Amino acid sequence: MPRVELSEGPVHYGDTGGGGPVVLFVHGLLTDGSLWDGVVEQLAPHARCLTPDLPLGSHTEAMHAGADLSPRGVAHLLDGFLAALELRDVVVVAGDSGGAVTQLLLTERPERVGRVVLTPCDAFENFFPPMFRPYQWLAHVPALLTAVLQPMRVRALRRLPMAYGRIAKHGVATATTDRWLAPALGRRAIRRDLAKFLVGVDARDTVTAAERLPGFRGPALVLWPREERTFPFAHAERLAALLPDSRLVVVDDAWAFIALDQPAATAAAIQAFLAETTVAPAVTAAA
């Protein structure tokens, strides 16, 4: 994989496709860019697809010890990533906690973003959803975070709601969860990076971002299953109402990880969105 060195540390990323718009895929906690592989496979003939492995616990190379890896810090890291690749008018596709990071990007560092696609993600006061908040509390004590991660070596336990059990309706392949968990299970420095993000989570950030989202003038697609419960469909409706140039599209037979449950439908919706929209003349954050 290509690798770019940022002030926070190294970021490995996939770079697939060629012509057409640049699409940046943003994953969430304890996943990596491979989350989007099924979507990228179908979009690559029409776009350049970038899938960075962000420092959210499944990255394979630790960041610098002093790096700010709070949600706001990761949002700024994304802006730095785009700057390092000299990219503008990028289409950002995000989900899960990566969606919260993207809302911070849109409202604090939006200059390189032209369009956005939000799939089920943390938003408003739901950052984190209640079932995942214990991880945030445990992250304040490194030994406790290590202790709670170790049972994930037992593959059957990964199907629990507090692990990967409620995010994909049709399940997550064992080989995929092996890949996502190996870095945090095996390396203290990766757990340190993960803990920084967890400790930095504050729903006040997503509440404030929601207040500022009307300042983002680029086209937006909110792509969400009605049956999703971790990230309620009502939040999709609220996000679509806040973004001035938005459309809300329902994905059937899926939960939070629509990229796994319905990659073809997800890719088709994104491709249609790209074909129907252009970059706004000016993209600015709200004051």
mmCIF file of all heavy atoms in Angstrom, residues 3 5 8-12 55 59-65 67 69 183 187-193:
data_model
loop_
_atom_site.group_PDB
_atom_site.id
_atom_site.type_symbol
_atom_site.label_atom_id
_atom_site.label_comp_id
_atom_site.label_asym_id
_atom_site.label_seq_id
_atom_site.Cartn_x
_atom_site.Cartn_y
_atom_site.Cartn_z
ATOM 1 N N ARG A 3 2.000 4.975 1.180
ATOM 2 C CA ARG A 3 2.144 5.480 2.545
ATOM 3 C C ARG A 3 2.498 6.951 2.467
ATOM 4 O O ARG A 3 3.342 7.355 1.664
ATOM 5 C CB ARG A 3 3.249 4.697 3.247
ATOM 6 C CG ARG A 3 3.640 5.119 4.646
ATOM 7 C CD ARG A 3 4.794 4.240 5.092
ATOM 8 N NE ARG A 3 5.241 4.452 6.447
ATOM 9 C CZ ARG A 3 6.136 5.369 6.820
ATOM 10 N NH1 ARG A 3 6.665 6.180 5.903
ATOM 11 N NH2 ARG A 3 6.510 5.465 8.084
ATOM 12 N N GLU A 5 3.558 10.355 4.933
ATOM 13 C CA GLU A 5 4.018 10.757 6.252
ATOM 14 C C GLU A 5 3.414 12.118 6.591
ATOM 15 O O GLU A 5 3.699 13.118 5.932
ATOM 16 C CB GLU A 5 5.540 10.834 6.298
ATOM 17 C CG GLU A 5 6.116 11.137 7.669
ATOM 18 C CD GLU A 5 5.960 9.972 8.657
ATOM 19 O OE1 GLU A 5 6.040 8.799 8.231
ATOM 20 O OE2 GLU A 5 5.752 10.250 9.852
ATOM 21 N N GLU A 8 1.319 13.909 12.157
ATOM 22 C CA GLU A 8 0.870 12.998 13.214
ATOM 23 C C GLU A 8 1.541 11.634 13.137
ATOM 24 O O GLU A 8 1.569 10.894 14.111
ATOM 25 C CB GLU A 8 -0.646 12.796 13.140
ATOM 26 C CG GLU A 8 -1.466 14.043 13.367
ATOM 27 C CD GLU A 8 -1.705 14.823 12.077
ATOM 28 O OE1 GLU A 8 -1.083 14.502 11.037
ATOM 29 O OE2 GLU A 8 -2.525 15.762 12.111
ATOM 30 N N GLY A 9 2.047 11.274 11.945
ATOM 31 C CA GLY A 9 2.651 9.971 11.747
ATOM 32 C C GLY A 9 2.290 9.406 10.386
ATOM 33 O O GLY A 9 1.671 10.078 9.553
ATOM 34 N N PRO A 10 2.641 8.153 10.136
ATOM 35 C CA PRO A 10 2.425 7.556 8.818
ATOM 36 C C PRO A 10 0.983 7.084 8.632
ATOM 37 O O PRO A 10 0.362 6.568 9.564
ATOM 38 C CB PRO A 10 3.381 6.367 8.813
ATOM 39 C CG PRO A 10 3.467 5.976 10.257
ATOM 40 C CD PRO A 10 3.368 7.248 11.048
ATOM 41 N N VAL A 11 0.471 7.259 7.415
ATOM 42 C CA VAL A 11 -0.857 6.753 7.067
ATOM 43 C C VAL A 11 -0.731 5.912 5.797
ATOM 44 O O VAL A 11 -0.271 6.402 4.756
ATOM 45 C CB VAL A 11 -1.865 7.898 6.832
ATOM 46 C CG1 VAL A 11 -3.201 7.346 6.325
ATOM 47 C CG2 VAL A 11 -2.081 8.689 8.122
ATOM 48 N N HIS A 12 -1.111 4.653 5.899
ATOM 49 C CA HIS A 12 -1.148 3.769 4.742
ATOM 50 C C HIS A 12 -2.523 3.889 4.097
ATOM 51 O O HIS A 12 -3.534 4.066 4.794
ATOM 52 C CB HIS A 12 -0.892 2.323 5.173
ATOM 53 C CG HIS A 12 0.457 2.113 5.781
ATOM 54 N ND1 HIS A 12 1.506 1.542 5.100
ATOM 55 C CD2 HIS A 12 0.937 2.410 7.021
ATOM 56 C CE1 HIS A 12 2.568 1.481 5.885
ATOM 57 N NE2 HIS A 12 2.251 2.013 7.063
ATOM 58 N N PRO A 55 -5.865 6.029 12.214
ATOM 59 C CA PRO A 55 -5.364 5.519 13.499
ATOM 60 C C PRO A 55 -6.487 5.302 14.506
ATOM 61 O O PRO A 55 -6.572 5.966 15.545
ATOM 62 C CB PRO A 55 -4.402 6.623 13.940
ATOM 63 C CG PRO A 55 -4.951 7.865 13.322
ATOM 64 C CD PRO A 55 -5.499 7.441 11.992
ATOM 65 N N HIS A 59 -5.007 0.138 12.435
ATOM 66 C CA HIS A 59 -3.871 0.560 11.620
ATOM 67 C C HIS A 59 -2.640 -0.258 12.008
ATOM 68 O O HIS A 59 -2.520 -0.720 13.144
ATOM 69 C CB HIS A 59 -3.605 2.048 11.777
ATOM 70 C CG HIS A 59 -3.439 2.509 13.201
ATOM 71 N ND1 HIS A 59 -4.401 2.311 14.175
ATOM 72 C CD2 HIS A 59 -2.422 3.176 13.820
ATOM 73 C CE1 HIS A 59 -3.979 2.819 15.321
ATOM 74 N NE2 HIS A 59 -2.776 3.341 15.136
ATOM 75 N N THR A 60 -1.748 -0.473 11.080
ATOM 76 C CA THR A 60 -0.625 -1.381 11.311
ATOM 77 C C THR A 60 0.660 -0.680 11.726
ATOM 78 O O THR A 60 1.609 -1.339 12.138
ATOM 79 C CB THR A 60 -0.344 -2.202 10.045
ATOM 80 O OG1 THR A 60 -0.093 -1.319 8.945
ATOM 81 C CG2 THR A 60 -1.531 -3.101 9.710
ATOM 82 N N GLU A 61 0.706 0.641 11.631
ATOM 83 C CA GLU A 61 1.897 1.390 12.024
ATOM 84 C C GLU A 61 1.465 2.510 12.962
ATOM 85 O O GLU A 61 0.612 3.334 12.598
ATOM 86 C CB GLU A 61 2.613 1.954 10.794
ATOM 87 C CG GLU A 61 3.982 2.506 11.096
ATOM 88 C CD GLU A 61 4.771 2.858 9.829
ATOM 89 O OE1 GLU A 61 4.250 2.650 8.710
ATOM 90 O OE2 GLU A 61 5.909 3.353 9.960
ATOM 91 N N ALA A 62 2.031 2.540 14.154
ATOM 92 C CA ALA A 62 1.605 3.501 15.167
ATOM 93 C C ALA A 62 1.960 4.927 14.771
ATOM 94 O O ALA A 62 2.924 5.177 14.040
ATOM 95 C CB ALA A 62 2.246 3.161 16.510
ATOM 96 N N MET A 63 1.192 5.857 15.285
ATOM 97 C CA MET A 63 1.439 7.267 15.050
ATOM 98 C C MET A 63 2.479 7.781 16.041
ATOM 99 O O MET A 63 2.872 7.081 16.982
ATOM 100 C CB MET A 63 0.137 8.051 15.182
ATOM 101 C CG MET A 63 -1.007 7.500 14.329
ATOM 102 S SD MET A 63 -0.635 7.461 12.552
ATOM 103 C CE MET A 63 -0.952 9.176 12.142
ATOM 104 N N HIS A 64 2.915 9.023 15.847
ATOM 105 C CA HIS A 64 3.885 9.616 16.760
ATOM 106 C C HIS A 64 3.262 9.750 18.148
ATOM 107 O O HIS A 64 2.054 10.009 18.288
ATOM 108 C CB HIS A 64 4.331 10.983 16.250
ATOM 109 C CG HIS A 64 4.967 10.933 14.894
ATOM 110 N ND1 HIS A 64 5.786 9.896 14.484
ATOM 111 C CD2 HIS A 64 4.901 11.793 13.839
ATOM 112 C CE1 HIS A 64 6.202 10.113 13.250
ATOM 113 N NE2 HIS A 64 5.672 11.251 12.831
ATOM 114 N N ALA A 65 4.073 9.624 19.168
ATOM 115 C CA ALA A 65 3.566 9.587 20.542
ATOM 116 C C ALA A 65 2.782 10.842 20.913
ATOM 117 O O ALA A 65 1.815 10.772 21.671
ATOM 118 C CB ALA A 65 4.724 9.382 21.509
ATOM 119 N N ALA A 67 0.955 12.780 18.932
ATOM 120 C CA ALA A 67 -0.089 13.132 17.967
ATOM 121 C C ALA A 67 -1.436 13.303 18.651
ATOM 122 O O ALA A 67 -1.788 12.539 19.556
ATOM 123 C CB ALA A 67 -0.183 12.059 16.890
ATOM 124 N N LEU A 69 -4.963 12.519 18.466
ATOM 125 C CA LEU A 69 -5.804 11.536 17.786
ATOM 126 C C LEU A 69 -7.222 11.530 18.350
ATOM 127 O O LEU A 69 -7.950 10.546 18.229
ATOM 128 C CB LEU A 69 -5.174 10.138 17.902
ATOM 129 C CG LEU A 69 -3.769 10.015 17.306
ATOM 130 C CD1 LEU A 69 -3.255 8.590 17.451
ATOM 131 C CD2 LEU A 69 -3.745 10.446 15.841
ATOM 132 N N PRO A 183 -3.958 -5.671 15.022
ATOM 133 C CA PRO A 183 -3.045 -4.612 15.483
ATOM 134 C C PRO A 183 -3.254 -4.227 16.946
ATOM 135 O O PRO A 183 -2.289 -4.120 17.703
ATOM 136 C CB PRO A 183 -3.365 -3.446 14.537
ATOM 137 C CG PRO A 183 -3.890 -4.095 13.293
ATOM 138 C CD PRO A 183 -4.690 -5.260 13.799
ATOM 139 N N ARG A 187 -0.268 -4.974 19.732
ATOM 140 C CA ARG A 187 0.746 -3.927 19.911
ATOM 141 C C ARG A 187 0.253 -2.842 20.857
ATOM 142 O O ARG A 187 -0.819 -2.262 20.661
ATOM 143 C CB ARG A 187 1.102 -3.305 18.551
ATOM 144 C CG ARG A 187 1.771 -4.292 17.596
ATOM 145 C CD ARG A 187 2.250 -3.577 16.353
ATOM 146 N NE ARG A 187 3.154 -2.504 16.694
ATOM 147 C CZ ARG A 187 3.462 -1.508 15.852
ATOM 148 N NH1 ARG A 187 2.926 -1.466 14.646
ATOM 149 N NH2 ARG A 187 4.290 -0.551 16.223
ATOM 150 N N ARG A 188 1.062 -2.549 21.854
ATOM 151 C CA ARG A 188 0.704 -1.532 22.846
ATOM 152 C C ARG A 188 0.573 -0.155 22.203
ATOM 153 O O ARG A 188 -0.327 0.624 22.560
ATOM 154 C CB ARG A 188 1.762 -1.498 23.944
ATOM 155 C CG ARG A 188 1.487 -0.468 25.028
ATOM 156 C CD ARG A 188 2.594 -0.458 26.065
ATOM 157 N NE ARG A 188 2.716 -1.755 26.714
ATOM 158 C CZ ARG A 188 3.667 -2.061 27.601
ATOM 159 N NH1 ARG A 188 4.578 -1.149 27.918
ATOM 160 N NH2 ARG A 188 3.708 -3.250 28.153
ATOM 161 N N ALA A 189 1.438 0.174 21.249
ATOM 162 C CA ALA A 189 1.397 1.506 20.635
ATOM 163 C C ALA A 189 0.110 1.720 19.845
ATOM 164 O O ALA A 189 -0.407 2.840 19.786
ATOM 165 C CB ALA A 189 2.613 1.706 19.731
ATOM 166 N N ILE A 190 -0.407 0.666 19.244
ATOM 167 C CA ILE A 190 -1.677 0.784 18.528
ATOM 168 C C ILE A 190 -2.809 1.009 19.529
ATOM 169 O O ILE A 190 -3.709 1.837 19.294
ATOM 170 C CB ILE A 190 -1.949 -0.475 17.679
ATOM 171 C CG1 ILE A 190 -0.835 -0.676 16.634
ATOM 172 C CG2 ILE A 190 -3.322 -0.391 17.026
ATOM 173 C CD1 ILE A 190 -0.739 0.414 15.595
ATOM 174 N N ARG A 191 -2.783 0.303 20.653
ATOM 175 C CA ARG A 191 -3.796 0.522 21.692
ATOM 176 C C ARG A 191 -3.699 1.934 22.250
ATOM 177 O O ARG A 191 -4.715 2.551 22.585
ATOM 178 C CB ARG A 191 -3.654 -0.516 22.807
ATOM 179 C CG ARG A 191 -3.992 -1.939 22.376
ATOM 180 C CD ARG A 191 -4.166 -2.860 23.578
ATOM 181 N NE ARG A 191 -2.944 -3.032 24.343
ATOM 182 C CZ ARG A 191 -1.995 -3.923 24.078
ATOM 183 N NH1 ARG A 191 -2.111 -4.736 23.039
ATOM 184 N NH2 ARG A 191 -0.923 -4.022 24.843
ATOM 185 N N ARG A 192 -2.487 2.465 22.344
ATOM 186 C CA ARG A 192 -2.317 3.852 22.796
ATOM 187 C C ARG A 192 -3.028 4.807 21.847
ATOM 188 O O ARG A 192 -3.740 5.720 22.268
ATOM 189 C CB ARG A 192 -0.821 4.188 22.845
ATOM 190 C CG ARG A 192 -0.489 5.638 23.210
ATOM 191 C CD ARG A 192 0.890 6.006 22.684
ATOM 192 N NE ARG A 192 0.913 6.022 21.221
ATOM 193 C CZ ARG A 192 2.027 5.956 20.485
ATOM 194 N NH1 ARG A 192 3.202 5.827 21.083
ATOM 195 N NH2 ARG A 192 1.951 6.005 19.166
ATOM 196 N N ASP A 193 -2.855 4.594 20.540
ATOM 197 C CA ASP A 193 -3.527 5.449 19.553
ATOM 198 C C ASP A 193 -5.041 5.322 19.669
ATOM 199 O O ASP A 193 -5.768 6.324 19.625
ATOM 200 C CB ASP A 193 -3.091 5.071 18.140
ATOM 201 C CG ASP A 193 -1.632 5.403 17.848
ATOM 202 O OD1 ASP A 193 -1.006 6.120 18.656
ATOM 203 O OD2 ASP A 193 -1.133 4.951 16.795
#
